[in-house]
Amino acid sequence: MSTLTRRPDFSLDRETLLYGALLLNTELLLVAFHVLFGGTTATSLTGIAQYVYPLVWINVGLLAIVKTTPPPVSQSQRRKGMLVAGAYFLVLAAIGGIVRPGSPGIESYFQFNLLYLPPGWNPMLAYFGEVVSVTLIPYKLVGYAALSYLVYVMVLDSAGLSWGTLTGLFSCVSCVLGILVPVVSSVLGGTAAVVGQLVPQSYGAATVVYLLSVALLYWRPFGR
């Protein structure tokens, strides 16, 4: 049985640095654009935090994906990994408010925000229906996708484990901690009204848990 621990690779090649610099410059331009035309300021700790936190989620998530290479495994193991990672993403999405039960009796409608919220929250697309409601927020999508991708690679690294043994992966510290990310961040909801009130507390706590979850899922110091 293969170990689930892995040695982290902190090296960055020239191409990664180039795209990283391009991403950071783009984000800085978006932040400047929003400060000038979005109707909010970044002069207080709360104001700065609402710009920094979502970009941290996005940048760390993308870096974790780029730096994590799936091992060569059989097609059946890949399908197994996709099923497990897909289920993990749905759990995160449900707890984190991306997917919620609908409101019976209402008329279905879409909502699109481009400037109202800071970059990382925007562009936000929401659908409200009778059966299901979906709120697509960039930082949550990237963050949850990164956690799920790391779980996917972890499953591939565990090639040879049976389905029964594979379920034991979700007793590992990093997987369980990852599920706490949307639990903490869900108190923020999906509306702009609570962003300024709760960013310094709940949003910051969720970011800390998220960073720790990504680090543990990437590094995996707890082997089997």
Side-chain angles (χ1 to χ4, degrees):
M1 181 182 299
S2 61
T3 180
L4 295 182
T5 59
R6 66 193 302 267
R7 178 173 298 178
D9 178 13
F10 297 111
S11 62
L12 295 174
D13 55 46
R14 184 175 180 180
E15 185 178 10
T16 301
L17 290 173
L18 177 63
Y19 283 113
L22 180 61
L23 176 62
L24 288 175
N25 287 334
T26 302
E27 291 171 345
L28 289 175
L29 287 175
L30 291 175
V31 168
F33 186 81
H34 187 267
V35 170
L36 292 174
F37 303 104
T40 61
T41 61
T43 56
S44 64
L45 180 61
T46 299
I48 295 173
Q50 67 180 338
Y51 290 102
V52 172
Y53 286 142
L55 299 184
V56 167
W57 280 56
I58 292 172
N59 294 342
V60 170
L62 292 177
L63 182 61
I65 292 174
V66 169
K67 297 296 293 182
T68 304
T69 304
V73 296
S74 66
Q75 190 63 33
S76 62
Q77 187 70 11
R78 289 188 181 277
R79 286 194 295 267
K80 185 185 298 185
M82 287 187 288
L83 285 174
V84 174
Y88 191 78
F89 180 83
L90 289 177
V91 170
L92 297 178
I95 299 175
I98 290 181
V99 180
R100 307 182 305 279
S103 302
I106 71 167
E107 184 177 350
S108 301
Y109 67 96
F110 287 92
Q111 185 181 53
F112 179 72
N113 289 319
L114 185 59
L115 288 176
Y116 188 45
L117 298 173
W121 284 84
N122 275 332
M124 184 178 71
L125 177 64
Y127 167 78
F128 302 93
E130 291 189 87
V131 178
V132 66
S133 293
V134 180
T135 304
L136 302 180
I137 303 174
Y139 88 88
K140 285 189 175 183
L141 286 176
V142 174
Y144 297 166
L147 291 172
S148 301
Y149 179 74
L150 292 174
V151 168
Y152 166 73
V153 175
M154 184 172 65
V155 173
L156 299 190
D157 283 338
S158 65
L161 297 182
S162 65
W163 274 110
T165 309
L166 195 58
T167 58
L169 293 176
F170 289 95
S171 65
C172 70
V173 174
S174 49
C175 292
V176 174
L177 188 61
I179 295 177
L180 292 180
V181 174
V183 173
V184 178
S185 62
S186 62
V187 298
L188 293 171
T191 63
V194 296
V195 174
Q197 299 172 6
L198 297 179
V199 161
Q201 292 81 28
S202 299
Y203 204 1
T207 301
V208 171
V209 176
Y210 169 70
L211 293 176
L212 184 57
S213 301
V214 171
L216 290 177
L217 282 170
Y218 175 75
W219 181 25
R220 295 183 228 146
F222 307 106
R224 291 180 61 86

